[in-house]
Amino acid sequence: MKTHDVYFDDSGKQPFVQFLGSSAISQSFVLCDEITKEYCLPILQELVDLGDFSIIEVPKGESNKTIETCNIVWRALTKVNADRKALLINLGGGVLTDLGGFAASCYKRGIHFINIPTTLLAMVDASTGGKTGVDFGSFKNQIGVFSAPVFTWVHSIFLKTLPAMQIRSGAAEMIKHGLIYDAQHFEDVIINFQNPAPFISDSVAIKQAVVTKDPTEKGLRKILNFGHTLGHAIESFFLNTSTPLLHGEAIALGMILETYLSHKHLNLSNKDLSKILESIQRFYSLPKIEPSAYQNIIDLTKQDKKNEHGSVRYVGLKSLGKAVYDLPLHSEDILDAFAFYQSL
Ligand SMILES: NC(=O)c1ccc[n+]([C@@H]2O[C@H](COP(=O)([O-])OP(=O)(O)OC[C@H]3O[C@@H](n4cnc5c(N)ncnc54)[C@H](O)[C@@H]3O)[C@@H](O)[C@H]2O)c1
Protein backbone atom coordinates (compact mmCIF):
# COMPACT_ATOMS: atom_id res chain seq x y z
CA MET A 1 0.00 0.00 0.00
CA LYS A 2 1.28 3.46 -0.83
CA THR A 3 1.37 6.11 1.86
CA HIS A 4 -0.60 9.29 1.28
CA ASP A 5 -0.53 13.01 1.97
CA VAL A 6 -2.47 14.73 4.71
CA TYR A 7 -3.37 18.41 4.35
CA PHE A 8 -4.40 20.60 7.24
CA ASP A 9 -6.96 23.39 7.29
CA ASP A 10 -6.89 25.76 4.32
CA SER A 11 -3.76 24.16 2.81
CA GLY A 12 -6.07 21.39 1.56
CA LYS A 13 -8.22 23.66 -0.60
CA GLN A 14 -5.90 23.91 -3.57
CA PRO A 15 -4.99 20.19 -3.93
CA PHE A 16 -8.65 19.30 -3.44
CA VAL A 17 -9.96 21.64 -6.11
CA GLN A 18 -7.16 20.66 -8.45
CA PHE A 19 -7.86 16.93 -8.10
CA LEU A 20 -11.60 17.45 -8.50
CA GLY A 21 -11.06 19.30 -11.75
CA SER A 22 -8.46 16.87 -13.13
CA SER A 23 -8.97 14.38 -15.93
CA ALA A 24 -8.48 11.57 -13.38
CA ILE A 25 -12.09 12.17 -12.29
CA SER A 26 -15.29 11.47 -14.22
CA GLN A 27 -17.92 11.99 -11.50
CA SER A 28 -17.78 13.02 -7.83
CA PHE A 29 -19.85 11.59 -5.00
CA VAL A 30 -19.95 12.90 -1.46
CA LEU A 31 -20.62 10.13 1.04
CA CYS A 32 -22.24 11.40 4.23
CA ASP A 33 -24.63 10.38 6.96
CA GLU A 34 -27.68 12.35 8.06
CA ILE A 35 -25.60 14.39 10.53
CA THR A 36 -22.65 15.23 8.31
CA LYS A 37 -25.03 16.05 5.46
CA GLU A 38 -26.72 18.62 7.66
CA TYR A 39 -23.70 20.06 9.49
CA CYS A 40 -20.58 19.37 7.45
CA LEU A 41 -21.56 19.46 3.79
CA PRO A 42 -22.59 23.16 3.93
CA ILE A 43 -19.23 23.97 5.56
CA LEU A 44 -17.35 22.05 2.87
CA GLN A 45 -19.32 23.90 0.18
CA GLU A 46 -18.32 27.18 1.78
CA LEU A 47 -14.68 26.15 1.77
CA VAL A 48 -14.55 25.01 -1.87
CA ASP A 49 -16.63 24.83 -5.01
CA LEU A 50 -17.55 21.17 -5.37
CA GLY A 51 -18.83 21.61 -8.92
CA ASP A 52 -21.21 18.86 -10.07
CA PHE A 53 -21.55 16.15 -7.47
CA SER A 54 -24.05 13.65 -6.12
CA ILE A 55 -24.74 12.88 -2.48
CA ILE A 56 -24.80 9.32 -1.21
CA GLU A 57 -26.36 9.23 2.25
CA VAL A 58 -25.98 6.29 4.61
CA PRO A 59 -27.26 5.79 8.16
CA LYS A 60 -24.91 6.99 10.90
CA GLY A 61 -23.15 5.12 13.66
CA GLU A 62 -21.08 2.04 14.41
CA SER A 63 -24.09 -0.28 14.16
CA ASN A 64 -24.30 0.68 10.48
CA LYS A 65 -20.64 0.00 9.72
CA THR A 66 -21.72 -3.09 7.83
CA ILE A 67 -21.65 -4.71 4.45
CA GLU A 68 -25.37 -3.86 4.13
CA THR A 69 -24.45 -0.16 4.25
CA CYS A 70 -21.77 -0.77 1.60
CA ASN A 71 -24.58 -2.16 -0.55
CA ILE A 72 -26.28 1.24 -0.36
CA VAL A 73 -23.09 2.88 -1.66
CA TRP A 74 -22.54 0.31 -4.40
CA ARG A 75 -26.20 0.49 -5.48
CA ALA A 76 -26.04 4.29 -5.70
CA LEU A 77 -22.84 4.18 -7.78
CA THR A 78 -24.18 1.44 -10.06
CA LYS A 79 -27.51 3.20 -10.57
CA VAL A 80 -25.82 6.17 -12.25
CA ASN A 81 -23.21 4.05 -14.08
CA ALA A 82 -20.29 5.42 -12.08
CA ASP A 83 -17.10 4.30 -13.82
CA ARG A 84 -13.60 3.58 -12.59
CA LYS A 85 -12.74 7.27 -12.62
CA ALA A 86 -15.48 8.07 -10.13
CA LEU A 87 -14.36 9.79 -6.93
CA LEU A 88 -15.88 9.10 -3.51
CA ILE A 89 -15.41 11.93 -1.00
CA ASN A 90 -15.88 10.51 2.49
CA LEU A 91 -17.23 13.32 4.65
CA GLY A 92 -17.71 12.09 8.17
CA GLY A 93 -16.35 10.34 11.23
CA GLY A 94 -14.31 7.17 11.40
CA VAL A 95 -17.28 4.94 10.63
CA LEU A 96 -17.81 6.75 7.37
CA THR A 97 -14.15 6.99 6.34
CA ASP A 98 -13.59 3.28 7.15
CA LEU A 99 -16.73 2.22 5.32
CA GLY A 100 -16.38 4.64 2.41
CA GLY A 101 -12.74 3.69 1.88
CA PHE A 102 -13.69 0.02 1.81
CA ALA A 103 -16.69 0.53 -0.49
CA ALA A 104 -14.57 2.62 -2.88
CA SER A 105 -11.75 0.06 -2.85
CA CYS A 106 -14.10 -2.77 -3.87
CA TYR A 107 -16.27 -0.95 -6.42
CA LYS A 108 -15.03 -1.99 -9.87
CA ARG A 109 -11.85 -3.20 -8.08
CA GLY A 110 -11.12 0.26 -6.78
CA ILE A 111 -12.02 3.87 -7.42
CA HIS A 112 -10.36 6.96 -5.94
CA PHE A 113 -11.46 8.22 -2.57
CA ILE A 114 -10.59 11.28 -0.50
CA ASN A 115 -11.16 11.40 3.25
CA ILE A 116 -12.45 14.59 4.83
CA PRO A 117 -12.77 13.63 8.49
CA THR A 118 -15.29 15.55 10.58
CA THR A 119 -14.78 14.05 14.05
CA LEU A 120 -11.65 14.49 16.14
CA LEU A 121 -11.15 10.72 16.17
CA ALA A 122 -11.26 10.49 12.40
CA MET A 123 -8.98 13.52 12.06
CA VAL A 124 -6.21 12.15 14.27
CA ASP A 125 -6.54 8.48 13.47
CA ALA A 126 -9.20 6.79 11.33
CA SER A 127 -8.86 8.84 8.15
CA THR A 128 -5.12 8.26 7.70
CA GLY A 129 -3.04 5.13 7.36
CA GLY A 130 -5.14 3.24 4.82
CA LYS A 131 -7.07 0.80 7.01
CA THR A 132 -10.58 0.46 5.64
CA GLY A 133 -13.35 -1.94 6.49
CA VAL A 134 -16.59 -2.84 8.16
CA ASP A 135 -17.71 -4.83 11.20
CA PHE A 136 -19.10 -8.34 10.78
CA GLY A 137 -21.54 -9.70 13.37
CA SER A 138 -20.01 -8.71 16.70
CA PHE A 139 -16.49 -8.47 15.35
CA LYS A 140 -14.95 -5.07 14.78
CA ASN A 141 -13.33 -4.36 11.39
CA GLN A 142 -13.48 -8.05 10.51
CA ILE A 143 -13.84 -7.42 6.78
CA GLY A 144 -11.57 -4.88 5.15
CA VAL A 145 -8.55 -4.01 3.05
CA PHE A 146 -5.52 -1.79 3.29
CA SER A 147 -6.18 0.93 0.76
CA ALA A 148 -4.95 4.52 0.78
CA PRO A 149 -7.06 7.57 -0.02
CA VAL A 150 -5.76 9.93 -2.71
CA PHE A 151 -5.17 12.16 0.30
CA THR A 152 -6.79 13.15 3.57
CA TRP A 153 -7.88 16.70 4.21
CA VAL A 154 -8.16 17.51 7.92
CA HIS A 155 -9.97 20.78 8.62
CA SER A 156 -10.57 21.61 12.26
CA ILE A 157 -13.51 23.85 11.29
CA PHE A 158 -15.72 20.74 11.37
CA LEU A 159 -15.14 20.38 15.12
CA LYS A 160 -17.41 23.39 15.72
CA THR A 161 -20.52 21.21 15.72
CA LEU A 162 -19.02 18.11 17.31
CA PRO A 163 -20.50 17.20 20.73
CA ALA A 164 -18.10 17.26 23.70
CA MET A 165 -18.35 13.50 24.22
CA GLN A 166 -17.11 12.95 20.67
CA ILE A 167 -14.18 15.29 21.34
CA ARG A 168 -13.33 13.18 24.40
CA SER A 169 -13.58 10.04 22.31
CA GLY A 170 -11.12 11.39 19.74
CA ALA A 171 -8.73 12.64 22.38
CA ALA A 172 -8.30 9.01 23.55
CA GLU A 173 -6.49 8.21 20.30
CA MET A 174 -4.33 11.33 20.76
CA ILE A 175 -3.42 10.14 24.26
CA LYS A 176 -2.57 6.77 22.72
CA HIS A 177 -0.25 8.37 20.15
CA GLY A 178 1.59 10.14 22.95
CA LEU A 179 1.83 7.06 25.16
CA ILE A 180 3.30 4.85 22.44
CA TYR A 181 5.61 7.30 20.70
CA ASP A 182 6.06 10.74 22.21
CA ALA A 183 5.75 11.55 25.92
CA GLN A 184 5.60 15.28 25.15
CA HIS A 185 2.51 14.77 22.98
CA PHE A 186 0.86 12.93 25.87
CA GLU A 187 1.59 15.92 28.14
CA ASP A 188 0.31 18.39 25.52
CA VAL A 189 -2.94 16.51 25.10
CA ILE A 190 -3.71 16.08 28.78
CA ILE A 191 -2.83 19.70 29.62
CA ASN A 192 -4.95 21.01 26.73
CA PHE A 193 -7.67 18.39 26.93
CA GLN A 194 -10.47 20.93 26.49
CA ASN A 195 -8.92 22.32 23.31
CA PRO A 196 -7.00 19.62 21.46
CA ALA A 197 -7.27 21.19 17.97
CA PRO A 198 -3.77 22.78 17.98
CA PHE A 199 -2.27 19.30 18.53
CA ILE A 200 -4.10 17.46 15.75
CA SER A 201 -1.24 17.76 13.28
CA ASP A 202 1.27 16.44 15.86
CA SER A 203 -0.95 13.45 16.46
CA VAL A 204 -1.30 12.75 12.74
CA ALA A 205 2.48 13.14 12.33
CA ILE A 206 3.03 10.35 14.89
CA LYS A 207 0.63 8.06 13.08
CA GLN A 208 2.19 8.87 9.71
CA ALA A 209 5.70 8.26 11.06
CA VAL A 210 4.71 4.78 12.24
CA VAL A 211 2.65 3.87 9.16
CA THR A 212 5.35 5.00 6.74
CA LYS A 213 7.79 2.55 8.35
CA ASP A 214 5.32 -0.34 8.25
CA PRO A 215 2.26 0.35 6.04
CA THR A 216 0.66 -3.10 6.26
CA GLU A 217 1.31 -3.85 9.94
CA LYS A 218 3.96 -6.53 9.70
CA GLY A 219 5.67 -5.21 12.85
CA LEU A 220 6.05 -1.69 14.22
CA ARG A 221 2.59 -0.50 13.12
CA LYS A 222 1.11 -2.84 15.70
CA ILE A 223 2.03 -0.30 18.39
CA LEU A 224 -0.88 1.83 17.14
CA ASN A 225 -3.08 -0.87 18.63
CA PHE A 226 -2.15 -0.01 22.22
CA GLY A 227 -5.35 -0.30 24.24
CA HIS A 228 -7.13 -1.93 21.31
CA THR A 229 -6.85 -5.69 21.99
CA LEU A 230 -9.01 -5.32 25.09
CA GLY A 231 -10.59 -2.05 23.94
CA HIS A 232 -12.02 -3.56 20.74
CA ALA A 233 -13.27 -6.64 22.60
CA ILE A 234 -14.98 -4.39 25.15
CA GLU A 235 -16.39 -2.16 22.39
CA SER A 236 -17.79 -5.25 20.62
CA PHE A 237 -19.27 -6.53 23.89
CA PHE A 238 -21.03 -3.22 24.63
CA LEU A 239 -22.20 -2.88 21.00
CA ASN A 240 -24.65 -5.68 21.77
CA THR A 241 -26.04 -3.98 24.88
CA SER A 242 -28.37 -1.03 25.40
CA THR A 243 -25.37 1.11 26.46
CA PRO A 244 -22.81 0.98 23.61
CA LEU A 245 -19.51 2.78 24.20
CA LEU A 246 -17.93 5.31 21.89
CA HIS A 247 -14.79 3.94 20.24
CA GLY A 248 -12.51 6.27 22.20
CA GLU A 249 -14.19 5.39 25.51
CA ALA A 250 -13.58 1.68 24.85
CA ILE A 251 -9.97 2.43 23.94
CA ALA A 252 -9.52 4.54 27.09
CA LEU A 253 -10.70 1.53 29.11
CA GLY A 254 -8.47 -0.80 27.08
CA MET A 255 -5.51 1.51 27.77
CA ILE A 256 -6.13 1.30 31.52
CA LEU A 257 -6.11 -2.51 31.39
CA GLU A 258 -3.09 -2.73 29.09
CA THR A 259 -1.20 -0.12 31.15
CA TYR A 260 -1.77 -2.28 34.21
CA LEU A 261 -0.43 -5.32 32.32
CA SER A 262 2.58 -3.24 31.23
CA HIS A 263 3.27 -2.51 34.89
CA LYS A 264 2.96 -6.20 35.72
CA HIS A 265 5.00 -7.64 32.85
CA LEU A 266 7.23 -4.85 31.52
CA ASN A 267 8.12 -3.07 34.73
CA LEU A 268 6.35 0.11 33.71
CA SER A 269 7.18 2.29 36.71
CA ASN A 270 4.72 3.09 39.50
CA LYS A 271 5.10 6.77 38.60
CA ASP A 272 4.11 6.22 34.94
CA LEU A 273 1.31 3.83 35.93
CA SER A 274 -0.21 6.38 38.32
CA LYS A 275 0.16 9.25 35.86
CA ILE A 276 -1.54 7.38 33.01
CA LEU A 277 -4.36 6.02 35.16
CA GLU A 278 -4.97 9.36 36.84
CA SER A 279 -5.15 11.17 33.47
CA ILE A 280 -7.52 8.69 31.86
CA GLN A 281 -9.77 8.52 34.91
CA ARG A 282 -9.89 12.31 35.11
CA PHE A 283 -11.30 12.66 31.59
CA TYR A 284 -13.39 9.52 31.10
CA SER A 285 -16.21 8.16 33.23
CA LEU A 286 -15.82 4.53 32.41
CA PRO A 287 -18.44 1.81 32.83
CA LYS A 288 -18.55 -0.94 35.38
CA ILE A 289 -17.89 -4.34 33.85
CA GLU A 290 -19.77 -7.16 35.52
CA PRO A 291 -17.73 -10.32 36.19
CA SER A 292 -20.36 -12.21 34.19
CA ALA A 293 -19.05 -10.37 31.09
CA TYR A 294 -15.40 -11.38 31.48
CA GLN A 295 -15.56 -14.68 29.60
CA ASN A 296 -17.49 -13.05 26.78
CA ILE A 297 -14.81 -10.37 26.44
CA ILE A 298 -12.02 -12.97 26.61
CA ASP A 299 -13.73 -14.86 23.76
CA LEU A 300 -13.96 -11.65 21.71
CA THR A 301 -10.18 -11.08 21.99
CA LYS A 302 -9.73 -14.34 20.06
CA GLN A 303 -10.81 -12.51 16.89
CA ASP A 304 -8.21 -9.74 17.28
CA LYS A 305 -6.28 -9.12 14.07
CA LYS A 306 -2.90 -9.14 15.82
CA ASN A 307 -3.33 -12.74 16.96
CA GLU A 308 -0.92 -15.27 15.55
CA HIS A 309 -1.19 -19.07 15.62
CA GLY A 310 -4.11 -18.84 18.02
CA SER A 311 -2.24 -16.70 20.53
CA VAL A 312 -3.79 -13.38 21.55
CA ARG A 313 -1.33 -10.45 21.49
CA TYR A 314 -1.35 -6.98 22.98
CA VAL A 315 0.82 -3.88 22.99
CA GLY A 316 2.47 -2.78 26.21
CA LEU A 317 4.40 0.25 27.46
CA LYS A 318 7.92 0.14 28.85
CA SER A 319 7.69 3.81 29.77
CA LEU A 320 5.83 6.92 28.63
CA GLY A 321 6.43 7.14 24.86
CA LYS A 322 7.92 3.64 24.42
CA ALA A 323 5.78 0.72 23.29
CA VAL A 324 6.43 -2.98 22.72
CA TYR A 325 4.26 -5.18 20.50
CA ASP A 326 3.47 -8.90 20.11
CA LEU A 327 3.15 -9.55 23.84
CA PRO A 328 1.15 -12.70 24.67
CA LEU A 329 -2.15 -12.04 26.42
CA HIS A 330 -3.38 -14.96 28.50
CA SER A 331 -6.89 -15.30 29.87
CA GLU A 332 -5.48 -15.15 33.44
CA ASP A 333 -3.90 -11.77 32.60
CA ILE A 334 -7.22 -10.43 31.39
CA LEU A 335 -8.96 -11.61 34.58
CA ASP A 336 -6.19 -10.06 36.66
CA ALA A 337 -6.49 -6.75 34.77
CA PHE A 338 -10.27 -6.73 35.30
CA ALA A 339 -9.75 -7.36 39.03
CA PHE A 340 -7.37 -4.39 39.10
CA TYR A 341 -9.90 -2.25 37.20
CA GLN A 342 -12.64 -3.14 39.71
CA SER A 343 -10.36 -2.01 42.52
CA LEU A 344 -9.86 1.50 41.09
N1 LIG B 1 -9.07 3.07 10.08
C1 LIG B 1 -8.44 3.32 11.19
O1 LIG B 1 -7.20 3.33 11.25
C2 LIG B 1 -9.23 3.63 12.43
C3 LIG B 1 -8.59 4.14 13.56
C4 LIG B 1 -9.35 4.47 14.67
C5 LIG B 1 -10.73 4.27 14.65
N2 LIG B 1 -11.32 3.76 13.54
C6 LIG B 1 -12.78 3.55 13.49
O2 LIG B 1 -13.43 4.80 13.63
C7 LIG B 1 -14.76 4.56 14.09
C8 LIG B 1 -15.14 5.60 15.11
O3 LIG B 1 -15.14 6.87 14.50
P1 LIG B 1 -15.83 8.13 15.18
O4 LIG B 1 -15.50 8.16 16.59
O5 LIG B 1 -15.49 9.27 14.32
O6 LIG B 1 -17.38 7.77 15.13
P2 LIG B 1 -18.52 8.05 14.03
O7 LIG B 1 -17.97 7.99 12.68
O8 LIG B 1 -19.63 7.12 14.38
O9 LIG B 1 -18.95 9.55 14.33
C9 LIG B 1 -19.58 9.84 15.55
C10 LIG B 1 -20.87 10.61 15.36
O10 LIG B 1 -20.54 11.98 15.10
C11 LIG B 1 -21.33 12.46 14.01
N3 LIG B 1 -20.55 13.54 13.42
C12 LIG B 1 -19.52 13.42 12.54
N4 LIG B 1 -18.97 14.62 12.31
C13 LIG B 1 -19.69 15.52 13.02
C14 LIG B 1 -19.58 16.93 13.21
N5 LIG B 1 -18.61 17.63 12.64
N6 LIG B 1 -20.49 17.54 14.00
C15 LIG B 1 -21.45 16.82 14.64
N7 LIG B 1 -21.58 15.48 14.52
C16 LIG B 1 -20.70 14.83 13.73
C17 LIG B 1 -21.54 11.25 13.16
O11 LIG B 1 -22.66 11.41 12.33
C18 LIG B 1 -21.74 10.15 14.20
O12 LIG B 1 -23.07 10.12 14.60
C19 LIG B 1 -14.78 3.14 14.63
O13 LIG B 1 -15.54 2.33 13.77
C20 LIG B 1 -13.33 2.72 14.62
O14 LIG B 1 -13.17 1.34 14.40
C21 LIG B 1 -10.60 3.44 12.44
Side-chain angles (χ1 to χ4, degrees):
M1 186 194 66
K2 63 183 173 64
T3 50
H4 61 91
D5 290 328
V6 182
Y7 299 105
F8 294 96
D9 296 328
D10 284 353
S11 74
K13 282 185 184 180
Q14 199 262 340
F16 183 76
V17 171
Q18 194 176 330
F19 190 75
L20 220 60
S22 75
S23 58
I25 300 307
S26 55
Q27 281 166 283
S28 312
F29 298 84
V30 176
L31 180 66
C32 43
D33 61 34
E34 59 267 45
I35 309 269
T36 62
K37 183 177 161 193
E38 182 175 347
Y39 294 116
C40 305
L41 185 55
I43 298 178
L44 180 62
Q45 286 178 293
E46 264 179 44
L47 288 173
V48 286
D49 179 2
L50 287 169
D52 280 341
F53 70 98
S54 312
I55 296 174
I56 302 177
E57 185 181 326
V58 292
K60 70 180 166 67
E62 187 71 36
S63 58
N64 289 302
K65 189 174 153 181
T66 59
I67 206 79
E68 287 75 23
T69 306
C70 290
N71 285 339
I72 299 175
V73 180
W74 292 325
R75 261 198 300 274
L77 292 169
T78 304
K79 196 170 165 198
V80 296
N81 303 318
D83 62 22
R84 286 184 102 176
K85 285 188 161 184
L87 168 70
L88 193 66
I89 300 163
N90 298 322
L91 182 69
V95 165
L96 207 115
T97 56
D98 275 12
L99 182 139
F102 176 66
S105 305
C106 297
Y107 182 75
K108 294 194 192 269
R109 300 202 179 87
I111 58 171
H112 293 303
F113 64 100
I114 290 176
N115 286 335
I116 305 186
T118 61
T119 63
L120 181 63
L121 188 135
M123 290 178 190
V124 297
D125 201 350
S127 68
T128 62
K131 280 190 181 176
T132 73
V134 293
D135 303 336
F136 186 64
S138 343
F139 303 119
K140 285 273 304 163
N141 305 326
Q142 182 86 335
I143 310 293
V145 292
F146 283 103
S147 177
V150 181
F151 57 80
T152 293
W153 180 14
V154 174
H155 206 309
S156 56
I157 195 171
F158 294 111
L159 296 179
K160 273 198 313 192
T161 56
L162 196 67
M165 64 187 219
Q166 295 288 351
I167 298 277
R168 269 199 305 280
S169 176
E173 299 284 12
M174 299 178 82
I175 288 176
K176 175 199 76 181
H177 287 156
L179 290 177
I180 58 167
Y181 206 74
D182 181 350
Q184 184 57 50
H185 185 61
F186 171 70
E187 299 287 345
D188 290 342
V189 175
I190 59 170
I191 292 168
N192 299 281
F193 197 80
Q194 304 309 329
N195 179 27
F199 301 95
I200 290 174
S201 58
D202 292 346
S203 220
V204 173
I206 293 172
K207 178 152 186 190
Q208 290 280 81
V210 174
V211 170
T212 304
K213 287 181 191 152
D214 176 22
T216 52
E217 203 165 290
K218 301 279 185 282
L220 179 73
R221 184 173 177 163
K222 292 179 189 176
I223 65 171
L224 290 167
N225 292 300
F226 174 61
H228 282 62
T229 303
L230 287 165
H232 267 163
I234 291 166
E235 185 180 4
S236 297
F237 174 79
F238 277 93
L239 201 56
N240 292 325
T241 69
S242 57
T243 51
L245 295 178
L246 295 179
H247 179 74
E249 292 171 328
I251 297 315
L253 209 163
M255 287 194 289
I256 289 189
L257 300 170
E258 294 178 20
T259 296
Y260 166 73
L261 293 174
S262 305
H263 176 62
K264 182 177 167 193
H265 293 299
L266 297 175
N267 295 324
L268 179 76
S269 69
N270 275 321
K271 183 164 159 263
D272 286 352
L273 174 74
S274 315
K275 180 156 193 181
I276 297 168
L277 296 183
E278 187 274 322
S279 307
I280 296 178
Q281 286 181 288
R282 180 156 27 114
F283 300 124
Y284 299 88
S285 52
L286 297 170
K288 195 171 162 32
I289 300 187
E290 297 299 336
S292 56
Y294 294 166
Q295 190 54 47
N296 227 319
I297 293 170
I298 290 172
D299 290 343
L300 285 162
T301 61
K302 297 190 175 134
Q303 290 289 334
D304 191 87
K305 281 172 286 304
K306 296 179 297 306
N307 297 351
E308 281 179 26
H309 307 292
S311 130
V312 182
R313 309 285 171 96
Y314 77 105
V315 176
L317 300 175
K318 280 172 104 162
S319 60
L320 280 183
K322 291 222 168 6
V324 188
Y325 57 88
D326 273 347
L327 301 166
L329 181 60
H330 304 293
S331 302
E332 310 82 71
D333 283 326
I334 301 178
L335 292 172
D336 188 23
F338 278 133
F340 171 76
Y341 179 65
Q342 299 294 29
S343 72
L344 289 176

